[in-house]
Amino acid sequence: MFTGIVEGVGTLAEVKGTGGGYRVRIHTPLASQLKLGDSLAVNGVCLTVILIDGEHVMADVGPETARVTTFGALQRGQTVNLERPLRFDGRVDGHFVLGHVDGVGSVEDLRPEAESHWLTITFPPALAAYFIRKGSVAVDGISLTVAGLGERQFDVQVVPYTWNNTTLKLLRAGDKVNLECDMFGKYAVRAMELRSRG
């Protein structure tokens, strides 16, 4: 489990196909703080560390993950957001993020306002029930607040620190992003679905 507070960015040093999935090698200073078998959120996707070599870590991306996330288009040299798992003996910032992507969104618009930036992101229709105004959403693993909401899109405002220390500053209109909706919202919607069947 994660919080959506990105600890740093890494670079994909290698992306190798493995029969529908990928094996990725990521260059990151966080490597020294990881061990084999650890979870690592990479652009909001929970991966398992299978090898550590200096400032590089390796992880496998399965075929299903490649299909339902932006990982199907991974490229060498790409910058990615990284977060180690939540520690339950510490403070919790952001919100609870599982690293299980619900769908892929598309950046519709980016615009500055003073020192901050606004992003408008479209989402798949199947996710509409999970968004609420002032609710939480993880965009490429970054915990953000839904500031505006339409039928197929939401707006988030990004403060300067987050803009400068994540991959958000690299986004352009049309780019795809991983979306994970708030876990508690998903449980609430599921409970209501089951109740309506009874």
Side-chain angles (χ1 to χ4, degrees):
M1 183 176 286
F2 307 91
T3 66
I5 303 300
V6 170
E7 293 185 87
V9 295
T11 304
L12 291 178
E14 186 178 23
V15 180
K16 189 180 295 185
T18 57
Y22 299 93
R23 176 160 291 173
V24 295
R25 185 162 59 94
I26 303 166
H27 178 262
T28 171
L30 290 176
S32 64
Q33 301 170 56
L34 296 165
K35 64 183 187 301
L36 296 184
D38 277 356
S39 294
L40 180 67
V42 181
N43 273 7
V45 180
C46 181
L47 299 180
T48 301
V49 174
I50 62 169
L51 181 70
I52 301 169
D53 180 15
E55 288 199 336
H56 291 85
V57 297
M58 276 189 158
D60 287 329
V61 177
E64 176 67 5
T65 301
R67 276 192 296 271
V68 301
T69 71
T70 60
F71 278 22
L74 290 176
Q75 294 184 8
R76 183 179 178 188
Q78 183 175 335
T79 304
V80 291
N81 296 314
L82 301 173
E83 183 191 352
R84 291 172 299 159
L86 168 66
R87 288 177 53 121
F88 282 97
D89 61 351
R91 295 176 59 189
V92 178
D93 292 321
H95 72 283
F96 290 123
V97 177
L98 299 178
H100 304 158
V101 171
D102 293 304
V104 173
S106 180
V107 177
E108 185 172 294
D109 188 37
L110 301 95
R111 56 201 180 277
E113 181 181 4
E115 295 181 353
S116 297
H117 288 79
W118 285 93
L119 271 71
T120 300
I121 298 171
T122 59
F123 55 82
L127 300 185
Y130 306 120
F131 289 98
I132 60 168
R133 201 166 188 277
K134 305 299 184 186
S136 297
V137 62
V139 177
D140 274 351
I142 304 162
S143 176
L144 297 169
T145 301
V146 177
L149 183 60
E151 285 187 20
R152 286 287 314 279
Q153 65 191 37
F154 64 87
D155 295 312
V156 291
Q157 187 176 55
V158 183
V159 297
Y161 181 87
T162 303
W163 183 262
N164 293 322
N165 290 278
T166 68
T167 60
L168 291 180
K169 64 182 177 292
L170 305 175
L171 291 175
R172 299 293 180 266
D175 285 350
K176 305 298 183 188
V177 291
N178 293 317
L179 301 177
E180 182 182 331
C181 302
D182 182 59
M183 174 179 65
F184 298 113
K186 289 187 279 189
Y187 278 120
V189 170
R190 178 63 174 158
M192 290 175 64
E193 288 175 351
L194 293 175
R195 187 174 180 179
S196 68
R197 293 178 192 172

